[in-house]
Coordinates of all heavy atoms in Angstrom, one line a residue:
M924 N 79.1 -44.7 -166.9 CA 78.1 -43.7 -167.3 C 78.8 -42.6 -168.1 O 79.9 -42.1 -167.7 CB 77.5 -43.1 -166.0 CG 76.5 -41.9 -166.4 SD 75.8 -41.2 -164.9 CE 75.2 -39.7 -165.6
L925 N 78.2 -42.2 -169.2 CA 78.8 -41.2 -170.1 C 77.8 -40.0 -170.1 O 76.5 -40.3 -170.3 CB 78.9 -41.8 -171.5 CG 79.4 -40.8 -172.6 CD1 80.8 -40.4 -172.4 CD2 79.3 -41.6 -173.9
I926 N 78.2 -38.8 -169.9 CA 77.4 -37.6 -170.0 C 77.8 -36.8 -171.2 O 79.0 -36.5 -171.4 CB 77.5 -36.8 -168.8 CG1 77.2 -37.5 -167.5 CG2 76.6 -35.5 -168.8 CD1 77.5 -36.7 -166.2
E927 N 76.9 -36.5 -172.1 CA 77.2 -35.7 -173.3 C 76.3 -34.5 -173.4 O 75.1 -34.7 -173.2 CB 77.1 -36.6 -174.6 CG 78.0 -37.7 -174.7 CD 77.6 -38.7 -175.8 OE1 76.7 -39.5 -175.5 OE2 78.1 -38.6 -176.9
E928 N 76.9 -33.4 -173.7 CA 76.1 -32.2 -173.9 C 75.6 -32.2 -175.3 O 76.4 -32.4 -176.3 CB 76.9 -30.9 -173.6 CG 77.2 -30.7 -172.1 CD 77.8 -29.4 -171.9 OE1 79.0 -29.3 -172.2 OE2 77.2 -28.5 -171.3
L929 N 74.3 -31.9 -175.5 CA 73.7 -31.8 -176.9 C 73.3 -30.4 -177.2 O 72.9 -29.6 -176.4 CB 72.5 -32.7 -177.0 CG 72.7 -34.2 -176.6 CD1 71.3 -34.9 -176.7 CD2 73.7 -34.9 -177.4
S930 N 73.3 -30.1 -178.5 CA 72.8 -28.9 -179.0 C 72.1 -29.1 -180.3 O 72.8 -29.7 -181.2 CB 73.9 -27.9 -179.1 OG 73.4 -26.6 -179.6
R931 N 70.8 -28.8 -180.4 CA 70.1 -29.1 -181.7 C 69.0 -28.1 -181.9 O 68.2 -27.8 -180.9 CB 69.5 -30.5 -181.6 CG 69.1 -31.1 -182.9 CD 68.2 -32.4 -182.7 NE 69.0 -33.5 -182.1 CZ 68.4 -34.6 -181.6 NH1 67.1 -34.7 -181.5 NH2 69.2 -35.5 -181.1
D932 N 69.0 -27.4 -183.0 CA 68.0 -26.4 -183.3 C 67.9 -25.3 -182.2 O 66.8 -24.9 -181.8 CB 66.6 -27.0 -183.5 CG 66.6 -28.1 -184.6 OD1 67.4 -27.9 -185.5 OD2 65.9 -29.1 -184.4
G933 N 69.1 -24.9 -181.7 CA 69.1 -23.9 -180.6 C 68.7 -24.4 -179.2 O 68.7 -23.6 -178.3
K934 N 68.4 -25.7 -179.1 CA 68.1 -26.3 -177.8 C 69.3 -26.9 -177.2 O 70.1 -27.5 -178.0 CB 67.0 -27.4 -178.0 CG 65.6 -26.9 -178.3 CD 64.6 -28.1 -178.2 CE 65.0 -29.3 -179.0 NZ 64.1 -30.4 -178.9
S935 N 69.4 -26.9 -175.9 CA 70.5 -27.7 -175.3 C 69.9 -28.8 -174.5 O 68.8 -28.7 -174.0 CB 71.4 -26.8 -174.5 OG 70.6 -26.1 -173.5
G936 N 70.7 -29.9 -174.4 CA 70.2 -31.0 -173.6 C 71.4 -31.9 -173.2 O 72.5 -31.6 -173.4
L937 N 71.0 -33.0 -172.6 CA 72.0 -34.0 -172.1 C 71.6 -35.4 -172.6 O 70.5 -35.7 -172.6 CB 72.1 -34.0 -170.6 CG 72.7 -32.8 -169.9 CD1 72.5 -33.0 -168.3 CD2 74.1 -32.6 -170.2
R938 N 72.6 -36.1 -173.0 CA 72.4 -37.5 -173.2 C 73.3 -38.3 -172.2 O 74.5 -38.0 -172.0 CB 72.9 -37.9 -174.6 CG 72.8 -39.4 -174.9 CD 73.5 -39.9 -176.1 NE 72.9 -39.3 -177.4 CZ 73.6 -38.7 -178.3 NH1 74.9 -38.5 -178.1 NH2 73.0 -38.2 -179.3
L939 N 72.6 -39.2 -171.4 CA 73.2 -40.0 -170.4 C 73.2 -41.4 -170.9 O 72.1 -42.0 -171.2 CB 72.5 -39.8 -169.1 CG 72.2 -38.4 -168.6 CD1 71.5 -38.5 -167.2 CD2 73.5 -37.6 -168.4
T940 N 74.3 -42.1 -170.9 CA 74.4 -43.5 -171.3 C 75.0 -44.3 -170.1 O 76.0 -44.0 -169.6 CB 75.4 -43.6 -172.5 OG1 75.0 -42.7 -173.5 CG2 75.4 -45.0 -173.0
F941 N 74.2 -45.3 -169.7 CA 74.5 -46.2 -168.6 C 74.8 -47.5 -169.2 O 73.9 -48.2 -169.8 CB 73.3 -46.3 -167.6 CG 72.9 -44.9 -167.1 CD1 72.0 -44.2 -167.8 CD2 73.4 -44.5 -165.9 CE1 71.5 -42.9 -167.3 CE2 72.9 -43.2 -165.4 CZ 72.0 -42.5 -166.1
E942 N 76.0 -48.0 -169.1 CA 76.4 -49.3 -169.7 C 77.0 -50.2 -168.6 O 77.7 -49.8 -167.7 CB 77.5 -49.0 -170.7 CG 77.8 -50.2 -171.6 CD 78.8 -49.8 -172.7 OE1 79.0 -48.6 -173.0 OE2 79.3 -50.7 -173.3
D943 N 76.5 -51.4 -168.6 CA 77.1 -52.4 -167.7 C 77.4 -53.7 -168.5 O 76.9 -54.0 -169.6 CB 76.2 -52.7 -166.5 CG 74.9 -53.4 -166.9 OD1 75.0 -54.6 -167.4 OD2 73.8 -52.9 -166.6
R944 N 78.3 -54.5 -167.9 CA 78.6 -55.8 -168.4 C 78.1 -56.8 -167.4 O 78.9 -57.7 -166.9 CB 80.1 -55.9 -168.6 CG 80.6 -55.0 -169.7 CD 82.1 -55.1 -170.0 NE 82.5 -54.0 -170.9 CZ 83.7 -53.7 -171.1 NH1 84.7 -54.4 -170.6 NH2 84.0 -52.7 -172.0
G945 N 76.8 -56.7 -167.1 CA 76.2 -57.6 -166.2 C 75.5 -58.8 -166.9 O 76.0 -59.1 -168.0
P946 N 74.5 -59.4 -166.3 CA 73.9 -60.6 -166.9 C 73.1 -60.3 -168.1 O 72.8 -61.3 -168.8 CB 73.0 -61.1 -165.7 CG 72.7 -59.9 -164.9 CD 74.0 -59.0 -165.0
G947 N 72.7 -59.1 -168.4 CA 71.8 -58.8 -169.5 C 70.4 -59.1 -169.1 O 70.1 -59.7 -168.0
I948 N 69.4 -58.7 -169.9 CA 68.0 -58.9 -169.6 C 67.3 -59.8 -170.7 O 67.3 -59.4 -171.8 CB 67.3 -57.5 -169.6 CG1 68.0 -56.6 -168.6 CG2 65.8 -57.6 -169.3 CD1 67.4 -55.1 -168.6
P949 N 66.8 -60.9 -170.3 CA 66.3 -61.9 -171.3 C 65.0 -61.4 -171.9 O 64.8 -61.7 -173.1 CB 66.0 -63.2 -170.4 CG 66.2 -62.8 -169.0 CD 66.9 -61.5 -168.9
D950 N 64.2 -60.6 -171.2 CA 62.9 -60.1 -171.8 C 62.8 -58.7 -171.4 O 62.3 -58.3 -170.3 CB 61.8 -61.0 -171.2 CG 60.4 -60.6 -171.9 OD1 60.3 -59.5 -172.5 OD2 59.5 -61.4 -171.8
V951 N 63.2 -57.8 -172.4 CA 63.2 -56.3 -172.1 C 61.8 -55.8 -171.9 O 61.6 -55.0 -171.0 CB 64.0 -55.6 -173.2 CG1 63.8 -54.1 -173.0 CG2 65.5 -55.9 -173.1
N952 N 60.9 -56.3 -172.7 CA 59.5 -55.8 -172.5 C 59.0 -56.1 -171.1 O 58.3 -55.2 -170.5 CB 58.5 -56.5 -173.5 CG 58.7 -55.8 -174.9 OD1 59.0 -54.6 -175.0 ND2 58.4 -56.6 -175.9
R953 N 59.3 -57.3 -170.6 CA 58.8 -57.6 -169.2 C 59.5 -56.7 -168.2 O 58.9 -56.2 -167.3 CB 59.1 -59.1 -169.0 CG 58.4 -59.6 -167.7 CD 58.3 -61.1 -167.6 NE 59.6 -61.7 -167.5 CZ 59.8 -62.9 -167.0 NH1 58.8 -63.6 -166.4 NH2 61.0 -63.4 -166.9
A954 N 60.8 -56.5 -168.4 CA 61.6 -55.7 -167.5 C 61.1 -54.3 -167.5 O 61.2 -53.6 -166.4 CB 63.1 -55.7 -167.9
M955 N 60.5 -53.8 -168.6 CA 60.0 -52.4 -168.7 C 58.6 -52.3 -168.0 O 58.2 -51.2 -167.8 CB 59.9 -52.0 -170.1 CG 61.2 -51.8 -170.9 SD 62.2 -50.5 -170.1 CE 61.1 -49.1 -170.1
T956 N 58.0 -53.4 -167.6 CA 56.7 -53.4 -167.1 C 56.7 -52.9 -165.6 O 57.5 -53.5 -164.8 CB 56.1 -54.8 -167.1 OG1 56.1 -55.3 -168.5 CG2 54.6 -54.8 -166.6
D957 N 55.9 -51.9 -165.3 CA 55.9 -51.4 -163.9 C 55.5 -52.6 -162.9 O 54.6 -53.3 -163.1 CB 54.8 -50.3 -163.8 CG 55.2 -49.0 -164.4 OD1 56.4 -48.9 -164.7 OD2 54.4 -48.1 -164.5
G958 N 56.3 -52.6 -161.9 CA 56.1 -53.6 -160.8 C 56.9 -54.9 -161.0 O 57.0 -55.7 -160.1
Y959 N 57.4 -55.1 -162.2 CA 58.2 -56.4 -162.4 C 59.6 -56.2 -161.9 O 60.3 -55.2 -162.2 CB 58.3 -56.7 -163.9 CG 59.2 -57.9 -164.1 CD1 58.8 -59.2 -163.9 CD2 60.5 -57.8 -164.5 CE1 59.6 -60.3 -164.0 CE2 61.4 -58.9 -164.6 CZ 60.9 -60.1 -164.4 OH 61.8 -61.2 -164.5
T960 N 60.0 -57.1 -161.0 CA 61.3 -57.0 -160.4 C 61.8 -58.4 -160.0 O 61.1 -59.3 -159.7 CB 61.3 -56.1 -159.1 OG1 62.6 -56.0 -158.5 CG2 60.4 -56.7 -158.0
T961 N 63.1 -58.6 -160.3 CA 63.8 -59.8 -159.8 C 64.7 -59.5 -158.6 O 65.4 -60.3 -158.1 CB 64.6 -60.4 -160.9 OG1 65.6 -59.5 -161.3 CG2 63.8 -60.9 -162.0
A962 N 64.6 -58.2 -158.1 CA 65.5 -57.7 -157.1 C 64.8 -57.5 -155.8 O 65.4 -56.9 -154.8 CB 66.2 -56.4 -157.6
G963 N 63.5 -57.8 -155.7 CA 62.7 -57.6 -154.5 C 62.6 -56.1 -154.2 O 62.4 -55.7 -153.1
S964 N 62.6 -55.3 -155.3 CA 62.5 -53.9 -155.2 C 61.1 -53.4 -155.7 O 60.2 -54.2 -155.7 CB 63.7 -53.2 -155.9 OG 63.7 -51.8 -155.6
M965 N 61.0 -52.2 -156.2 CA 59.7 -51.7 -156.6 C 59.4 -52.0 -158.1 O 58.3 -52.0 -158.5 CB 59.6 -50.2 -156.4 CG 59.6 -49.8 -154.9 SD 59.1 -48.1 -154.7 CE 60.5 -47.3 -155.5
G966 N 60.4 -52.3 -158.8 CA 60.2 -52.6 -160.2 C 59.7 -51.4 -161.0 O 59.0 -51.5 -162.0
L967 N 60.2 -50.2 -160.6 CA 59.8 -49.0 -161.2 C 60.9 -48.2 -161.9 O 60.7 -47.2 -162.5 CB 59.1 -48.1 -160.2 CG 57.7 -48.5 -159.7 CD1 57.2 -47.6 -158.6 CD2 56.7 -48.5 -160.9
G968 N 62.2 -48.7 -161.7 CA 63.3 -47.9 -162.2 C 63.3 -47.6 -163.7 O 63.4 -46.5 -164.1
L969 N 63.1 -48.7 -164.5 CA 63.1 -48.5 -165.9 C 61.9 -47.8 -166.4 O 62.0 -46.8 -167.2 CB 63.2 -49.9 -166.6 CG 64.6 -50.6 -166.4 CD1 64.5 -52.0 -167.0 CD2 65.7 -49.8 -166.9
G970 N 60.7 -48.2 -166.0 CA 59.5 -47.6 -166.5 C 59.4 -46.1 -166.1 O 59.0 -45.3 -166.8
G971 N 59.7 -45.9 -164.8 CA 59.7 -44.5 -164.3 C 60.7 -43.6 -165.0 O 60.3 -42.5 -165.4
T972 N 61.8 -44.2 -165.3 CA 62.8 -43.4 -166.1 C 62.3 -43.0 -167.5 O 62.4 -41.9 -167.9 CB 64.1 -44.1 -166.2 OG1 64.6 -44.4 -164.9 CG2 65.2 -43.3 -167.0
R973 N 61.7 -44.0 -168.1 CA 61.2 -43.8 -169.5 C 60.1 -42.6 -169.5 O 60.1 -41.8 -170.4 CB 60.5 -45.0 -170.1 CG 59.9 -44.8 -171.5 CD 59.7 -46.0 -172.2 NE 58.7 -46.9 -171.6 CZ 58.2 -48.0 -172.1 NH1 58.7 -48.4 -173.3 NH2 57.3 -48.7 -171.5
R974 N 59.3 -42.6 -168.4 CA 58.3 -41.5 -168.3 C 58.9 -40.2 -168.0 O 58.2 -39.2 -168.3 CB 57.2 -41.9 -167.3 CG 56.3 -43.0 -167.7 CD 55.1 -43.2 -166.8 NE 55.5 -43.7 -165.5 CZ 55.7 -45.0 -165.2 NH1 55.6 -45.9 -166.2 NH2 56.1 -45.4 -164.0
L975 N 60.0 -40.1 -167.4 CA 60.6 -38.8 -167.0 C 61.4 -38.2 -168.0 O 61.8 -37.0 -167.9 CB 61.4 -39.1 -165.7 CG 60.7 -39.3 -164.4 CD1 61.6 -39.8 -163.3 CD2 59.9 -38.0 -164.0
V976 N 61.9 -38.9 -169.0 CA 62.8 -38.3 -170.0 C 62.2 -38.1 -171.4 O 61.1 -38.7 -171.7 CB 64.1 -39.1 -170.1 CG1 64.8 -39.2 -168.8 CG2 63.8 -40.5 -170.6
N977 N 62.8 -37.3 -172.2 CA 62.3 -37.1 -173.5 C 62.5 -38.2 -174.5 O 61.7 -38.5 -175.3 CB 62.9 -35.8 -174.1 CG 62.6 -34.5 -173.4 OD1 63.4 -33.7 -173.0 ND2 61.3 -34.3 -173.1
E978 N 63.7 -38.9 -174.3 CA 64.0 -40.0 -175.2 C 64.6 -41.1 -174.3 O 65.4 -40.8 -173.5 CB 65.0 -39.6 -176.3 CG 64.5 -38.5 -177.2 CD 65.6 -38.0 -178.2 OE1 66.5 -38.7 -178.5 OE2 65.5 -36.8 -178.5
F979 N 64.3 -42.3 -174.6 CA 64.7 -43.5 -173.8 C 65.0 -44.7 -174.7 O 64.2 -45.0 -175.6 CB 63.6 -43.9 -172.8 CG 63.9 -45.1 -172.0 CD1 64.4 -44.9 -170.7 CD2 63.7 -46.3 -172.4 CE1 64.7 -46.0 -169.9 CE2 64.0 -47.4 -171.6 CZ 64.5 -47.2 -170.3
E980 N 66.1 -45.3 -174.5 CA 66.5 -46.5 -175.3 C 67.2 -47.5 -174.4 O 68.0 -47.1 -173.6 CB 67.4 -46.1 -176.5 CG 67.8 -47.2 -177.4 CD 68.7 -46.7 -178.5 OE1 69.9 -46.4 -178.1 OE2 68.4 -46.7 -179.7
I981 N 66.8 -48.8 -174.6 CA 67.5 -49.8 -173.8 C 67.9 -50.9 -174.8 O 67.1 -51.3 -175.7 CB 66.6 -50.3 -172.7 CG1 67.3 -51.4 -171.9 CG2 65.2 -50.8 -173.2 CD1 66.7 -51.8 -170.6
K982 N 69.1 -51.3 -174.7 CA 69.6 -52.5 -175.5 C 70.3 -53.4 -174.5 O 71.1 -53.0 -173.6 CB 70.7 -52.0 -176.5 CG 70.1 -51.2 -177.6 CD 71.2 -50.8 -178.6 CE 70.6 -49.9 -179.7 NZ 71.6 -49.3 -180.5
S983 N 70.0 -54.7 -174.6 CA 70.5 -55.7 -173.7 C 70.8 -57.0 -174.4 O 70.0 -57.4 -175.2 CB 69.5 -55.9 -172.5 OG 70.2 -56.6 -171.5
T984 N 71.8 -57.6 -174.0 CA 72.2 -58.9 -174.6 C 72.5 -59.8 -173.4 O 73.4 -59.5 -172.6 CB 73.4 -58.8 -175.6 OG1 73.0 -57.9 -176.6 CG2 73.6 -60.2 -176.2
V985 N 71.8 -60.9 -173.3 CA 72.1 -61.9 -172.2 C 73.5 -62.3 -172.2 O 74.0 -62.7 -173.3 CB 71.1 -63.1 -172.2 CG1 71.5 -64.1 -171.2 CG2 69.7 -62.6 -171.9
G986 N 74.2 -62.3 -171.1 CA 75.6 -62.7 -171.0 C 76.6 -61.7 -171.4 O 77.8 -61.9 -171.3
V987 N 76.1 -60.5 -171.9 CA 77.0 -59.5 -172.4 C 76.8 -58.2 -171.5 O 77.8 -57.6 -171.0 CB 76.8 -59.2 -173.9 CG1 77.7 -58.0 -174.3 CG2 77.1 -60.4 -174.7
G988 N 75.6 -57.7 -171.4 CA 75.3 -56.6 -170.6 C 74.2 -55.7 -171.2 O 73.5 -56.1 -172.1
T989 N 74.0 -54.5 -170.6 CA 72.9 -53.7 -170.8 C 73.3 -52.2 -171.0 O 74.2 -51.8 -170.3 CB 71.9 -53.8 -169.7 OG1 71.5 -55.1 -169.5 CG2 70.7 -52.9 -169.9
T990 N 72.7 -51.6 -172.0 CA 73.0 -50.1 -172.1 C 71.6 -49.4 -172.2 O 70.7 -49.8 -172.9 CB 73.7 -49.9 -173.4 OG1 74.9 -50.6 -173.4 CG2 74.0 -48.4 -173.6
V991 N 71.5 -48.4 -171.3 CA 70.3 -47.5 -171.3 C 70.8 -46.1 -171.6 O 71.7 -45.6 -171.1 CB 69.7 -47.5 -169.9 CG1 68.5 -46.5 -169.9 CG2 69.2 -48.9 -169.5
T992 N 70.1 -45.5 -172.6 CA 70.4 -44.2 -173.1 C 69.2 -43.3 -172.9 O 68.1 -43.7 -173.4 CB 70.9 -44.2 -174.5 OG1 72.0 -45.1 -174.7 CG2 71.4 -42.8 -174.9
V993 N 69.4 -42.2 -172.2 CA 68.3 -41.2 -172.1 C 68.7 -39.8 -172.6 O 69.9 -39.5 -172.5 CB 67.8 -41.1 -170.7 CG1 67.3 -42.4 -170.1 CG2 68.8 -40.5 -169.7
V994 N 67.8 -39.1 -173.2 CA 68.1 -37.7 -173.6 C 67.0 -36.8 -173.0 O 65.8 -37.1 -172.9 CB 68.0 -37.6 -175.1 CG1 68.1 -36.1 -175.6 CG2 69.1 -38.4 -175.8
Q995 N 67.5 -35.7 -172.4 CA 66.6 -34.7 -171.8 C 66.9 -33.4 -172.4 O 68.1 -32.9 -172.3 CB 66.6 -34.8 -170.3 CG 65.7 -33.9 -169.6 CD 64.2 -34.3 -169.7 OE1 63.9 -35.5 -169.9 NE2 63.3 -33.4 -169.7
W996 N 65.9 -32.7 -172.9 CA 66.2 -31.3 -173.4 C 65.8 -30.3 -172.4 O 64.8 -30.5 -171.6 CB 65.3 -31.1 -174.7 CG 65.8 -32.0 -175.8 CD1 65.2 -33.1 -176.2 CD2 66.9 -31.9 -176.6 NE1 65.9 -33.7 -177.2 CE2 67.0 -33.0 -177.5 CE3 68.0 -30.9 -176.7 CZ2 68.0 -33.1 -178.4 CZ3 69.0 -31.1 -177.6 CH2 69.0 -32.2 -178.4
K997 N 66.6 -29.2 -172.3 CA 66.3 -28.2 -171.3 C 65.1 -27.4 -171.7 O 64.8 -27.1 -172.9 CB 67.5 -27.2 -171.4 CG 67.6 -26.2 -170.2 CD 68.9 -25.5 -170.3 CE 69.0 -24.5 -169.2 NZ 70.3 -23.8 -169.2
R998 N 64.2 -27.2 -170.7 CA 63.0 -26.3 -170.9 C 63.5 -24.9 -171.0 O 64.4 -24.4 -170.4 CB 62.1 -26.5 -169.7 CG 61.5 -27.8 -169.6 CD 60.3 -27.8 -168.6 NE 60.1 -29.1 -168.1 CZ 59.5 -29.4 -166.9 NH1 59.1 -28.4 -166.1 NH2 59.3 -30.6 -166.6
R999 N 62.8 -24.2 -171.9 CA 63.2 -22.8 -172.1 C 61.9 -21.9 -172.0 O 60.8 -22.4 -172.0 CB 63.9 -22.6 -173.4 CG 63.4 -23.5 -174.5 CD 64.4 -23.6 -175.7 NE 64.9 -22.3 -176.1 CZ 65.2 -21.9 -177.3 NH1 65.1 -22.8 -178.3 NH2 65.7 -20.7 -177.6
Ligands
ATP482 N1 71.0 -53.3 -166.0 C1 70.3 -54.4 -165.8 N2 70.9 -55.7 -165.9 C2 70.2 -56.8 -165.8 N3 68.8 -56.8 -165.4 C3 68.2 -55.6 -165.2 C4 68.9 -54.4 -165.4 N4 68.1 -53.4 -165.2 C5 66.9 -54.0 -164.9 N5 67.0 -55.3 -164.9 C6 65.9 -56.3 -164.7 O1 64.7 -55.7 -164.9 C7 63.9 -55.7 -163.7 C8 63.1 -54.3 -163.6 O2 64.1 -53.3 -163.5 P1 63.6 -51.9 -162.8 O3 64.8 -51.0 -162.7 O4 62.4 -51.4 -163.5 O5 63.2 -52.4 -161.3 P2 64.1 -52.8 -160.1 O6 65.5 -52.5 -160.4 O7 63.8 -54.3 -159.9 O8 63.5 -52.0 -158.9 P3 63.7 -50.4 -158.7 O9 64.5 -49.8 -159.9 O10 62.3 -49.9 -158.7 O11 64.4 -50.3 -157.4 C9 65.0 -55.9 -162.6 O12 64.4 -56.4 -161.4 C10 65.9 -56.8 -163.3 O13 65.3 -58.1 -163.4
MG483 MG1 66.2 -50.6 -161.1

């Protein structure tokens, strides 16, 4: 995980980058769907995160890994 401080137009924020070298995600759209899980869990981690942050990006390659990047700007 990488934490970066951001400053843009007088606003401050954080960019968090979560990178793994796991199995990757074959169908990112399906993985983003609320309730979809292959882990027997709630299937809400990705979708819930997307709704909670200002910017959300996911890149995944099967057999290589997954990177999720979020940006949140401080409220003022
Ligand atoms: N980093 C990852 N690498 C590989 N597959 C992933 C990764 N993150 C998510 N997935 C796949 O997408 C599915 C949905 O992910 P999501 O985080 O939304 O739910 P979950 O992890 O199953 O449950 P929850 O996060 O609610 O505990 C996962 O079950 C898994 O199949
Ligand atoms: Mg999850």
